[in-house]
């Protein structure tokens, strides 16, 4: 297998890790006003992700760094073309992070209410915009090849806000919302757990419908794609995993429901990457001007060096992540939160 393909897969794995891990963080943030009926409940909700949210977010940084090093043309074109969308994501992430750190600094209800709103906004916007961006990548974007060998994005932010792109954004947002609710049910007790499970049933049903529509629409757009069998297989596995997760949550098996939700997100992203391959950005102006993996990749020596670095460092990252979740594996209750305040 060519190193260009290997790094395409590695970037895909890193993005799957990001959306699986930071995805439930987003979902917990979106769930805050719905399952937290008083300040103690809201502290329970926040504390379920308190020790891990910043670690989960580093997967995005690593994915971005690998994207920059392995496919600089993809990085440059996407970051310039999606500039406003990515700026909004960055602002939302900063707003969310600041809110986690400063919410408890004030004692007034008004102070906490403002930061609760910021947490919800900062959790809602990123998955919505990420989903919109990824949907546009596989639908095709107005990009053209320049004389210097690079690619130029000729659209605007409004170009991304088309029906298919917005549906992709809604699907990713709902996937994260459901994922976060199931995680809350897994990590909390009492009323917070019960509300999370009940809301996950409702949101999960809507997610299944929206995701089915998006996956069918994606398949119809790629009927002539040589990767169609892989697209259909990944889409089918994502659909099955989503349904199984919903049923398991309905039966109160939140651990297995979380596992199958993770599989749903993984197979949904694999569907997107299968629809892209062997391209990185599909041109809606002229398919011949699409950005390919080979055309946008760094030199062979750069990819070889990056591969060795990944081989030696990735196991340590995964081990540290697993250890962190093991240390903070216990459920959070109202009693736990109340006791920690004294």
């Amino acid at each position: 297998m060519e190193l260009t393909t290997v790094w395409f897969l590695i970037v895909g794995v890193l993005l799957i890790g990001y959306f699986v891990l930071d995805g439930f963080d987003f979902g917990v943030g979106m769930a805050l006003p719905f399952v937290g009926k008083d300040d103690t409940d809201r502290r329970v909700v926040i504390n379920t992700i308190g020790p891990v949210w910043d670690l989960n977010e580093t997967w995005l940084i690593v994915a971005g760094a690998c994207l920059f090093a392995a496919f600089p043309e993809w990085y440059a074109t996407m970051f310039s073309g999606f500039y406003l969308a990515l700026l909004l994501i960055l602002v939302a992430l900063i707003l969310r992070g600041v809110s986690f750190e400063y919410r408890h600094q004030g004692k007034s209800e008004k102070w906490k209410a403002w930061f609760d709103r910021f947490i919800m906004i900062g959790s809602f916007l990123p998955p919505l915009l990420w989903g919109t961006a990824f949907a546009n990548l596989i639908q095709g974007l107005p990009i053209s090849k320049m004389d210097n060998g690079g690619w130029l994005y000729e659209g605007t932010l409004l170009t991304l806000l088309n029906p298919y792109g917005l549906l992709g954004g809604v699907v990713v947002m709902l996937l994260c919302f459901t994922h976060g609710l199931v995680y809350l049910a897994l990590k909390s007790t009492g009323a917070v757990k019960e509300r999370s499970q009940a809301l996950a049933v409702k949101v999960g049903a809507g997610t299944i419908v929206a995701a089915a529509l998006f996956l069918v629409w994606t398949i119809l757009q790629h009927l002539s794609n040589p990767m169609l069998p892989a697209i259909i297989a990944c889409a089918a596995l994502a659909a099955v995993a989503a349904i199984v997760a919903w049923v398991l949550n309905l039966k109160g098996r939140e651990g297995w429901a979380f596992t199958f939700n993770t599989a749903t997100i993984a197979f949904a992203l694999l569907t997107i990457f299968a629809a892209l391959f062997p391209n990185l950005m599909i041109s809606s102006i002229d398919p011949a001007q699409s950005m390919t993996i080979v055309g946008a990749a760094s030199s062979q020596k750069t990819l070889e060096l990056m591969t060795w670095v990944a081989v030696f460092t990735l196991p340590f990252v995964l081990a540290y992540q697993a250890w962190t979740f093991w240390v903070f594996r216990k459920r959070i209750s109202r009693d736990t939160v109340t006791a920690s305040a004294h």
Side-chain angles (χ1 to χ4, degrees):
M1 185 183 294
E2 295 290 332
L3 281 180
T4 50
T5 304
V6 169
W7 274 98
F8 177 75
L9 294 174
I10 290 175
V11 170
V13 169
L14 291 172
L15 288 174
I16 288 172
Y18 171 67
F19 281 104
V20 166
L21 295 171
D22 213 22
F24 68 71
D25 292 340
F26 291 139
V28 169
M30 284 185 271
L32 184 61
F34 300 103
V35 300
K37 298 304 182 181
D38 58 26
D39 184 59
T40 303
D41 279 352
R42 289 189 284 272
R43 287 168 60 197
V44 169
V45 171
I46 293 171
N47 283 4
T48 61
I49 58 172
V52 297
W53 71 267
D54 47 355
L55 177 62
N56 293 342
E57 215 164 75
T58 58
W59 282 76
L60 177 62
I61 298 171
V62 175
C66 290
L67 194 66
F68 173 76
F71 302 105
E73 290 292 345
W74 191 16
Y75 181 93
T77 306
M78 192 161 60
F79 272 69
S80 60
F82 296 173
Y83 179 80
L84 286 176
L86 292 171
L87 179 62
L88 287 173
I89 290 173
L90 180 60
V91 171
L93 292 176
I94 293 172
L95 197 64
R96 185 179 67 133
V98 169
S99 299
F100 283 142
E101 298 297 332
Y102 281 89
R103 181 188 186 276
H104 67 282
Q105 299 293 339
K107 300 300 180 183
S108 71
E109 290 300 318
K110 188 175 181 180
W111 173 280
K112 294 176 181 178
W114 272 109
F115 282 113
D116 287 345
R117 293 188 193 102
F118 292 154
I119 290 173
M120 185 180 181
I121 294 170
S123 300
F124 167 79
L125 270 181
L128 179 68
L129 293 173
W130 280 126
T132 301
F134 280 119
N136 277 282
L137 282 177
I138 59 176
Q139 177 179 239
L141 291 160
I143 61 169
S144 58
K145 193 78 178 288
M146 296 187 295
D147 293 337
N148 64 1
W151 283 263
L152 175 67
Y153 176 73
E154 299 183 14
T156 64
L157 177 62
L158 294 178
T159 306
L160 306 177
L161 304 181
N162 54 77
Y164 180 76
L166 290 173
L167 177 60
V170 170
V171 169
V172 173
M173 183 270 293
L174 288 174
L175 279 173
C176 290
F177 195 5
T178 305
H179 198 40
L181 287 167
V182 174
Y183 178 80
L184 270 176
L186 179 64
K187 287 289 292 178
S188 62
T189 62
V192 172
K193 175 183 177 181
E194 293 170 4
R195 292 189 204 112
S196 299
Q197 281 183 325
L199 187 56
V201 172
K202 297 175 184 177
V203 177
T207 303
I208 291 170
V209 174
L213 178 60
F214 178 74
L215 292 172
V216 170
W217 196 344
T218 300
I219 291 170
L220 292 176
Q221 285 190 337
H222 290 269
L223 290 176
S224 60
N225 191 324
M227 294 293 293
L228 184 62
I231 295 170
I232 293 175
C234 290
L237 288 169
V240 170
I243 294 170
V244 172
W246 185 83
V247 172
L248 287 168
N249 177 69
L250 191 64
K251 293 184 175 182
R253 303 291 298 277
E254 59 270 11
W256 281 108
F258 182 79
T259 301
F260 277 92
N261 265 329
T262 297
T264 302
I265 294 172
F267 284 119
L269 285 171
L270 285 173
T271 303
I272 290 173
F273 275 82
L276 265 181
F277 189 83
N279 298 306
L280 296 174
M281 298 182 80
I282 300 170
S283 174
S284 59
I285 298 173
D286 180 4
Q289 298 192 52
S290 297
M291 182 189 298
T292 63
I293 294 174
V294 175
S298 293
S299 66
Q300 183 72 10
K301 287 187 176 180
T302 300
L303 295 178
E304 288 175 358
L305 177 61
M306 290 175 61
T307 302
W308 283 110
V309 172
V311 167
F312 284 106
T313 58
L314 191 57
F316 290 102
V317 173
L318 293 174
Y320 179 71
Q321 185 97 50
W323 177 78
T324 302
F325 279 105
W326 175 256
V327 169
F328 297 103
R329 65 189 181 278
K330 291 184 178 179
R331 293 179 184 264
I332 308 296
S333 67
R334 288 177 64 93
D335 292 337
T336 305
V337 169
T338 304
S340 66
H342 298 288

